[in-house]
Amino acid sequence: MSGKTITILNLYSNDMNIYGDRGNVLCLQKRLKWYGYEPRIIEYNQGDKFPNDVDIIVGGGGQDSGQSKIKADLIKIGPKLIKLADDNVSMLMICGLYQLFGKFFKTSEGEIIEGIGLLDIETFGKSERLIGNIVTSSELFGDIIGYENHSGQTFLGHKVQAFGRVRIGAGNNTSDISEGAIYKNVIGSYMHGSLLPKNPAVADYLIEQATKRKFGEFKVKGLDNTYTEMARKIAAKRPR
Ligand code: GLN
């Protein structure tokens, strides 16, 4: 073992963890090990003590009711998360937590769930649900493949960039072709899947930023992604 520990904080997995979002944590854990690091996972749920030392923060999606449950606690830890994001900590937030990392989510019933404003995005619940397989393109990551299921439609402000451009599916909304958002090393996305096992380039990006930030380097050991590439080809052709 290298003695080089990378700590992953998994946010609200009791209430915000659907369509296999936990796979993102498992993928980071596995790849970190393969790269010779020591992954340490800390679960954070409502009321827990927020740890001092974290390198990657991961959060998943949830029903509107799950979002209502965790919203007060999230607002409490919001300033800490914003500080860590501005200090270049890697983060990945999927769907429900992506929405709440933004300014607000106005549900279709008109309830406003306040977000922490870490991402310059606004979300509005609509009657139409956007469901199915999704493929986007990105200069940084190539094709990004996943599965979406949301009624919230998200609009990007000028402080974030889109994570990808939609080729198949809906993405952030039905009005433009953006999917997800990036701010510094924080990625927000509607893509379940799980996202990272299907998209190793995104997993490696989060790992690279985290290890460079902590140790000043990322020693790339070319991992064999042959099976993943085969699975990606099939997933990209699946009907919506
Ligand atoms: N409740 C939110 C929506 O439907 C998030 C759903 C999700 O996380 N999949 O928009």
Side-chain angles (χ1 to χ4, degrees), residues 16-19 21 60-67 94-99 105 107 113 123-126 128-130 147-154 189-190 192:
M16 303 294 290
N17 174 26
I18 51 176
Y19 309 122
D21 285 338
Q63 316 302 334
D64 292 9
S65 57
Q67 290 172 294
I94 304 296
C95 205
L97 275 172
Y98 164 48
Q99 294 171 340
F105 172 32
T107 68
I113 305 180
T123 302
F124 301 84
K126 305 274 182 190
E128 183 189 4
R129 280 199 87 78
L130 307 173
Y147 169 80
E148 63 183 325
N149 185 351
H150 53 108
S151 60
Q153 295 204 19
T154 296
S189 172
Y190 274 110
H192 305 279

Side-chain angles (χ1 to χ4, degrees), residues 53-100:
D53 182 20
V54 295
D55 304 304
I56 304 179
I57 305 181
V58 180
Q63 316 302 334
D64 292 9
S65 57
Q67 290 172 294
S68 288
K69 263 195 202 164
I70 57 106
K71 66 181 178 189
D73 193 274
L74 179 63
I75 292 292
K76 218 172 56 198
I77 63 169
K80 288 191 175 126
L81 293 167
I82 290 170
K83 203 157 160 244
L84 290 169
D86 284 330
D87 192 18
N88 297 314
V89 166
S90 300
M91 302 189 194
L92 175 69
M93 295 299 137
I94 304 296
C95 205
L97 275 172
Y98 164 48
Q99 294 171 340
L100 296 189

Side-chain angles (χ1 to χ4, degrees), residues 135-182:
V135 182
T136 73
S137 328
S138 132
E139 262 127 57
L140 203 53
F141 305 110
D143 286 358
I144 312 168
I145 292 161
Y147 169 80
E148 63 183 325
N149 185 351
H150 53 108
S151 60
Q153 295 204 19
T154 296
F155 297 86
L156 307 183
H158 65 273
K159 289 189 208 130
V160 290
Q161 287 176 314
F163 177 42
R165 288 181 311 277
V166 177
R167 291 218 313 271
I168 302 170
N172 280 331
N173 55 61
T174 50
S175 325
D176 63 44
I177 59 161
S178 69
E179 198 296 308
I182 302 191

Side-chain angles (χ1 to χ4, degrees), residues 23-48:
N24 293 327
V25 177
L26 301 179
C27 176
L28 289 170
Q29 181 184 33
K30 204 76 188 169
R31 291 183 88 81
L32 279 163
K33 259 191 205 156
W34 286 334
Y35 285 126
Y37 297 96
E38 280 178 41
R40 181 167 72 114
I41 295 168
I42 299 179
E43 299 289 340
Y44 177 89
N45 284 292
Q46 290 178 69
D48 288 348

